[in-house]
Amino acid sequence: MDNTSTFALVIYCLVACCLIMLMVWLWAHKIKNAGVVDIFWSYNFPVIAIILLLLAPGFETRKLLICGMVIIAGLRLGTHLAVRIIKHLSVEEGRYQQLRKEWAPNPERKFFFFFQFQAISNVLLAVPFIIITLNTSSQLSPLEYIGAVLWLISVLCEAIADAQLSAFKRNPENKGKVCDKGLWGYSRHPNYFFEWLMWVSYFVFALASPYGYLAIISPAIILYLLLKVTGIPATEDQSIRSKGEAFKLYQQKTSAFVPWLKK
């Protein structure tokens, strides 16, 4: 496939994601809840996967495998977030409330660009999927099987972490308490860790394709965002505001990211 056609694929994905985020921003503006962006950030990856499945020229079995993985993971996370956010649609999550305060007096304009940046990040993070679906080799590599197994482990463990936290929050007796049960007893953010591990699995899968090493950009960006920007810092700041000393004690005893034994 020539560079022009590859560029066209990227443009199709970018236009689709930007249009989706434009509609989501209009909805968020109407309901005054920017948290819905998280739902559609996840759902945009299945959209990209469908575009690549239909238009990329790679080996059909490989395309079905990687696009199926992306669709399953994106729908699972997006739906999990949708269930959580829509239950409290009239109440915006604390981190977005904080952004709204910081971006006053005109937060909606800044949220517009924030939403569009999320769409751009979707396409940038999709580099492994593009590389893989351009591969026309009719033989699957051991690296691709290893990547698929690592993906399965990471998606299952992330789902378990999400389910454990949801179950903890459903219990009225736990209101104001810190979840330190199950995987949350070994990491303060096991969902983030296994989300990152999933992106590592896409990188491993892509290594079997030409220029697959470029796919390192995705787990590298995800790791930076989780550790330094929108992941752990914002989430823990909000947890300290809502849970105070209980969360600070949890911070002292429990690994921030990689699951590990308590101190």
Side-chain angles (χ1 to χ4, degrees), residues 16-26 36-42 44 112 114-120 122:
C17 291
C18 286
L19 286 175
I20 289 169
M21 283 305 187
L22 172 60
M23 291 185 285
V24 175
W25 174 77
L26 290 170
V36 294
V37 69
D38 294 340
I39 302 170
F40 291 91
W41 183 84
S42 298
N44 270 351
F112 169 80
F114 177 78
F115 279 40
Q116 289 302 304
F117 177 76
Q118 298 303 305
I120 294 169
N122 281 130

Side-chain angles (χ1 to χ4, degrees), residues 24-99:
V24 175
W25 174 77
L26 290 170
W27 181 38
H29 177 59
K30 182 178 180 180
I31 64 175
K32 292 292 185 284
N33 189 338
V36 294
V37 69
D38 294 340
I39 302 170
F40 291 91
W41 183 84
S42 298
Y43 281 157
N44 270 351
F45 290 113
V47 171
I48 291 171
I50 291 169
I51 292 171
L52 295 175
L53 185 60
L54 294 175
L55 300 179
F59 179 48
E60 201 66 25
T61 301
R62 180 178 292 106
K63 287 201 302 177
L64 286 169
L65 180 56
I66 186 63
C67 291
M69 289 160 57
V70 174
I71 290 169
I72 290 169
L75 290 179
R76 188 214 70 81
L77 179 57
T79 303
H80 168 75
L81 293 171
V83 169
R84 188 189 77 194
I85 293 168
I86 291 173
K87 281 182 179 178
H88 308 285
L89 202 57
S90 61
V91 181
E92 191 172 49
E93 286 191 19
R95 54 201 173 104
Y96 289 110
Q97 290 181 24
Q98 186 65 28
L99 283 177

Side-chain angles (χ1 to χ4, degrees), residues 220-235:
I221 289 174
I222 289 291
L223 187 63
Y224 175 74
L225 292 175
L226 290 177
L227 296 184
K228 300 296 184 181
V229 188
T230 59
I232 291 175
T235 303

Side-chain angles (χ1 to χ4, degrees), residues 192-210:
Y192 288 165
F193 173 77
F194 289 110
E195 174 72 13
W196 172 73
L197 193 63
M198 182 184 71
W199 288 95
V200 172
S201 76
Y202 294 140
F203 165 61
V204 173
F205 197 113
L207 285 175
S209 298

Side-chain angles (χ1 to χ4, degrees), residues 155-214:
V155 169
L156 286 175
C157 288
E158 185 180 7
I160 290 169
D162 286 339
Q164 288 173 339
L165 182 60
S166 295
F168 181 86
K169 288 182 174 180
R170 281 197 300 270
N171 187 343
E173 295 180 2
N174 293 327
K175 186 174 178 62
K177 295 182 180 179
V178 177
C179 178
D180 59 356
K181 308 298 181 184
L183 292 172
W184 299 84
Y186 301 96
S187 168
R188 302 201 298 272
H189 304 278
N191 54 339
Y192 288 165
F193 173 77
F194 289 110
E195 174 72 13
W196 172 73
L197 193 63
M198 182 184 71
W199 288 95
V200 172
S201 76
Y202 294 140
F203 165 61
V204 173
F205 197 113
L207 285 175
S209 298
Y211 303 104
Y213 60 88
L214 295 175

